[in-house]
Amino acid sequence: MKILIVDDSRAMRRIIHRTLRQAGFAGLEVLEAADGVEALELALGTRPDLILSDWHMPRMSGLEFKRALNEAGLGIPFGFVTSENTHEMRQLAEEAGADFLLAKPFTPEDMSLALEAFVA
Amino acid sequence: MTTAAGSLVSAELAAAAEAVRETCGLQLGLALRPAPDDAGATGAAGWCRSGIDLTAADGRWRLTLLADAQSARRLTQRLFGLDPDEDPEPADLADALKELVNIAAGVFKRDRRDPRLHIALPDFAEGGPAPAPLPPDAASVRLAAGPLDPQVRVLLDWRGAAETGGERREP
């Protein structure tokens, strides 16, 4: 199973990757991108099974990235991982077709709950 | 601190410190606790600081994390899962401290129950001394764990009443 982690912070990409392992998701192929532009190119080329994306990023935000995926007809399961978690953001995420929003900071248990429906 | 704004900052500092404690606890497995102020280290050179501007309805704030060079190195090692003798890249050190203050700002916003609070992008600087004395409308608390663990100072700085308009980021 291929997971694409999108965050402009290498530190956060590392945290997400480590938390995935701690949550017991083994044998994952993890791809990384630093913003929505890079992620869109990678998603179009590699068709990951799940995308975990930050919200605020340079060049192309997570929300713009999700909308671009929709326009390209890629219905890949998608979750936002973000330090802000307002009702407005949840509404925007839902309208864009995101499957969940995971707020930072998070535990392996939080990650497990968010992903269990999407990771085999 | 004797000003009205100073009292406000003191009241909010506890929430900011709690946000940093939660962030470091959940994301780094580091159980920080409020510790007596270490005045002797305040003027030492080589501090790293990551800061973030917050704009709420009641005014503008700046949340800063201050860490001495050794603590900044250890925080970064923990965050990146490096060995104790492995030196982090300077860019990773800046990234780690910016990410920690960014997450803490999100927790601060959540706990304030203020969905309109705007969080700017974090910034980072290193090499200078810690501010001593603090600005008049600022307060700080030192958070520490074991003697070999990293420690941080949380500084909350009141920047005055909120202005209308200005650059905001999505949403």
Side-chain angles (χ1 to χ4, degrees), chain B residues 81-167:
Chain B
L82 303 178
D83 292 330
D85 59 350
E86 213 173 338
D87 266 329
E89 296 289 327
D92 287 342
L93 193 141
D95 187 21
L97 267 73
K98 283 196 296 185
E99 193 57 41
L100 290 176
V101 79
N102 184 49
I103 298 173
V107 174
F108 182 73
K109 175 176 178 170
R110 180 199 70 196
D111 291 347
R112 248 177 154 247
R113 302 174 192 276
D114 181 0
R116 305 311 305 173
L117 186 145
H118 171 247
I119 300 175
L121 294 174
D123 51 55
F124 174 81
E126 66 178 322
L134 291 173
D137 290 331
S140 79
V141 62
R142 186 167 75 97
L143 300 177
L148 295 179
D149 291 320
Q151 55 176 294
V152 294
R153 281 167 191 273
V154 182
L155 193 152
L156 194 64
D157 191 353
W158 164 261
R159 297 287 174 93
E163 296 162 7
T164 54
E167 188 181 341

Side-chain angles (χ1 to χ4, degrees), chain A:
Chain A
M1 177 167 189
K2 237 183 303 191
I3 291 190
L4 173 57
I5 300 173
V6 190
D7 200 305
D8 55 319
S9 164
R10 200 167 90 84
M12 184 45 64
R13 297 200 301 270
R14 181 66 68 93
I15 287 175
I16 293 172
H17 196 162
R18 185 172 62 228
T19 308
L20 282 168
R21 283 201 311 269
Q22 291 170 337
F25 298 117
L28 300 174
E29 181 184 350
V30 175
L31 310 169
E32 295 187 12
D35 58 52
V37 173
E38 199 179 310
L40 183 60
E41 195 179 319
L42 205 51
L44 291 169
T46 63
R47 306 289 171 122
D49 302 294
L50 175 66
I51 296 173
L52 300 176
S53 175
D54 189 15
W55 188 286
H56 298 294
M57 292 182 290
R59 297 212 292 170
M60 182 188 284
S61 73
L63 189 62
E64 291 165 342
F65 168 45
K66 175 60 181 135
R67 288 171 177 158
L69 286 172
N70 295 345
E71 283 174 21
L74 288 185
I76 300 168
F78 190 104
F80 284 107
V81 182
T82 175
S83 57
E84 292 187 67
N85 176 18
T86 63
H87 174 71
E88 184 185 2
M89 288 173 77
R90 286 192 173 276
Q91 203 166 15
L92 286 168
E94 196 178 318
E95 284 167 10
D99 295 284
F100 60 87
L101 193 150
L102 180 61
K104 305 173 193 172
F106 46 79
T107 64
E109 291 73 26
D110 297 329
M111 181 71 83
S112 183
L113 274 174
L115 266 64
E116 63 185 0
F118 308 100
V119 180

